[in-house]
Amino acid sequence: MKTTRARRPQPAIREQKSEENLQAATRAKRVRSKDASDNWHSGPRDETAGSGRTTAKTGAKPAGVGRAPKSGGSRIHAGMPATDKPAAKAAGARIRNATTARPANTRPPTAAAAAGTTPEQEGISKPRKPRGTVAKAKKLAVRHGSAKQVEQQKQLRAKRLTPDQVGEERLQKALAFSGWGSRREAETWVSEGRVSVNGKIAELGTKVKQGDDVRVDGKRVSLRWPDRLPRIVMYHKQEGELVTRDDPQGRVTVFERLPKLASSKWVAIGRLDFNTSGLLLFTTSGDLANRMTHPSFEVEREYAARVMGELTGEQMKTMTAGIELDDGPAHFDHISDSGGEGKNRWYRVVLKEGRNREVRRMFEHFEIPVSRLMRVRFGMFVLPARLKRGQFYELNETEVLTALKWADLRLNGVAKEF
């Protein structure tokens, strides 16, 4: 049986086809240029290797060589018939684009760069340095309690206060609790007359209750109410983290490490310096945070400080009696020596206020620098030994209720009315 196979094209046929393809491609690439008589005509484009210039086969001067034509087309139209002016204008645009085109992946210089000034001198804010996604803190794994304890926690979790038990709330506080900005922003809106309650323009000091029609700029607000147990979290802060919601320098904040809340926000109970680690508390109850941080309540804070040097007995007595700092007198309620090795010594100190870098400044008063500072207790909350750096532990409902009773607050974390 005779088999048929496709024959390969002969060399002459291949050359003929490649020649035809080349001629077709050359005809497709045409450019308008001037000849010796200063007339415009179309001709095939001949691209010279390595130069990137285009010349016509007639030997005319390459397009774009020499000075670029000025805008307006006055030189392009000189010595031409009136009917050829539109074509000449398009050709002039192509020449200007070819001569003024910038390389790929480059940006035009800014006004500050052209003037020789820096963005900071021009008042332009420096862009935030990009960084990767911040890893969420790991939750401390704990065992469940007995069946009785689990049932009690379940009942506390489902308990809700009635509208009469919740009572009235200040308007700016209700707006802030519902996620409509801070209290100061809400006060500004009220003073500007942008907030209405039940159809009337609200004033500073107005109180609202469940069922009231509250509107901001005519838009109805769905208020949330503290009718359940608040949440409390113990976090072991690491050195190098900021206790703020936003940092212009793009550094890691503790709020980025915590789990996100859907219906409320975390409130930090006190602060810790950038170089201070240890116990940091968060809650959804603003009254609890105020109850623990306000100086009038005198809640104890205990720190473990490692210093380079050793205090004398007289210096320790002076620290408890009181020393004068730049922002006023300060003292430790208690100080004890916890030992150490070499030049490093550990001390436990207790104080009832949280001024900026107060512990460090008191040691530096005696020219003893603090190389490490760690908070180990805040009021009734003690840093658990199992809670490692960067981990958090959320108190269960029974523990939250115990903390509210200790702070003399109601079930929903709101201060009692006396």
Side-chain angles (χ1 to χ4, degrees):
M1 183 177 178
K2 187 178 180 178
T3 58
T4 59
R5 292 186 300 175
R7 296 181 61 187
R8 293 184 179 178
Q10 298 298 323
I13 300 176
R14 287 202 303 269
E15 292 176 4
Q16 182 182 358
K17 286 192 173 293
S18 62
E19 229 175 80
E20 292 175 357
N21 293 337
L22 181 60
Q23 290 176 2
T26 306
R27 284 194 300 269
K29 300 179 181 179
R30 306 185 70 84
V31 67
R32 295 182 60 84
S33 59
K34 281 186 178 181
D35 56 10
S37 61
D38 202 25
N39 292 327
W40 288 89
H41 67 92
S42 298
R45 189 170 61 181
D46 181 20
E47 297 182 357
T48 58
S51 63
R53 296 179 179 178
T54 303
T55 61
K57 286 188 176 180
T58 58
K61 187 177 180 180
V65 176
R67 184 175 297 177
K70 291 185 178 179
S71 60
S74 59
R75 293 190 179 182
I76 296 176
H77 295 166
M80 293 180 52
T83 55
D84 293 338
K85 286 185 178 181
K89 190 178 294 185
R94 288 196 295 270
I95 294 173
R96 285 194 299 273
N97 293 339
T99 55
T100 60
R102 65 176 185 267
N105 299 329
T106 59
R107 293 183 178 178
T110 59
T117 58
T118 61
E120 290 77 4
Q121 295 173 348
E122 293 291 330
I124 303 174
S125 59
K126 190 176 182 181
R128 179 176 295 184
K129 185 182 295 184
R131 58 181 172 85
T133 305
V134 179
K136 292 294 183 181
K138 294 183 179 180
K139 185 176 181 179
L140 178 65
V142 294
R143 294 181 179 179
H144 296 289
S146 62
K148 183 178 180 180
Q149 293 175 340
V150 172
E151 183 62 26
Q152 290 177 350
Q153 296 169 10
K154 186 177 179 180
Q155 293 177 359
L156 289 172
R157 194 181 308 120
K159 187 175 180 59
R160 299 290 184 270
L161 299 181
T162 62
D164 295 337
Q165 292 174 328
V166 175
E168 295 182 335
E169 191 61 79
R170 286 176 295 172
L171 179 58
Q172 61 268 24
K173 186 176 180 181
L175 290 172
F177 186 81
S178 303
W180 280 72
S182 63
R183 295 190 188 183
R184 292 183 179 179
E185 291 175 340
E187 289 177 356
T188 304
W189 299 340
V190 173
S191 60
E192 293 175 353
R194 298 169 55 187
V195 186
S196 64
V197 178
N198 297 328
K200 298 181 180 180
I201 300 299
E203 299 178 354
L204 291 176
T206 302
K207 291 188 176 182
V208 293
K209 60 182 182 298
Q210 294 188 27
D212 287 344
D213 182 14
V214 179
R215 296 177 182 269
V216 177
D217 295 333
K219 183 178 180 180
R220 185 168 184 176
V221 178
S222 179
L223 295 178
R224 301 188 184 100
W225 299 92
D227 57 352
R228 66 193 72 182
L229 274 174
R231 297 172 66 177
I232 303 176
V233 161
M234 304 171 67
Y235 175 63
H236 192 159
K237 178 187 174 298
Q238 306 176 91
E239 297 176 355
E241 296 177 348
L242 290 177
V243 187
T244 181
R245 295 192 179 276
D246 187 28
D247 179 51
Q249 301 181 20
R251 292 173 291 184
V252 178
T253 66
V254 292
F255 291 98
E256 294 174 315
R257 303 270 290 152
L258 294 178
K260 292 185 177 181
L261 300 177
S263 59
S264 56
K265 63 180 181 179
W266 293 117
V267 179
I269 303 179
R271 300 170 65 90
L272 287 177
D273 297 337
F274 182 76
N275 296 324
T276 304
S277 62
L279 177 62
L280 190 60
L281 298 173
F282 296 90
T283 181
T284 57
S285 170
D287 288 349
L288 177 60
N290 180 69
R291 174 67 176 78
M292 296 191 64
T293 56
H294 200 277
S296 60
F297 295 104
E298 296 185 347
V299 179
E300 290 185 347
R301 301 144 168 93
E302 184 174 353
Y303 294 86
R306 187 184 68 183
V307 302
M308 297 182 63
E310 186 175 358
L311 292 171
T312 62
E314 189 65 28
Q315 290 175 336
M316 295 174 67
K317 290 181 180 179
T318 304
M319 283 185 166
T320 54
I323 58 178
E324 190 69 26
L325 299 178
D326 297 338
D327 54 352
H331 73 281
F332 291 142
D333 290 85
H334 177 74
I335 182 172
S336 60
D337 190 349
S338 299
E341 296 180 356
K343 296 182 179 180
N344 295 323
R345 303 287 298 181
W346 282 94
Y347 292 91
R348 287 288 186 105
V349 297
V350 178
L351 67 165
K352 294 181 180 178
E353 57 184 0
R355 283 189 280 174
N356 185 31
R357 301 184 71 255
E358 185 173 2
V359 177
R360 296 179 185 272
R361 288 187 295 155
M362 291 186 67
F363 279 99
E364 291 171 359
H365 178 78
F366 296 101
E367 298 182 353
I368 299 178
V370 177
S371 58
R372 186 178 174 187
L373 187 62
M374 181 178 179
R375 184 158 67 190
V376 295
R377 182 172 65 89
F378 197 137
M380 63 165 289
F381 300 95
V382 180
L383 182 66
R386 294 180 56 241
L387 190 63
K388 306 302 180 184
R389 293 183 181 181
Q391 288 186 338
F392 75 94
Y393 168 68
E394 184 170 358
L395 277 65
N396 58 47
E397 288 75 12
T398 307
E399 295 169 337
V400 171
L401 186 60
T402 303
L404 295 178
K405 290 181 178 179
W406 170 82
D408 200 18
L409 299 176
R410 292 189 291 177
L411 177 72
N412 55 353
V414 178
K416 297 180 180 178
E417 297 180 359
F418 298 101

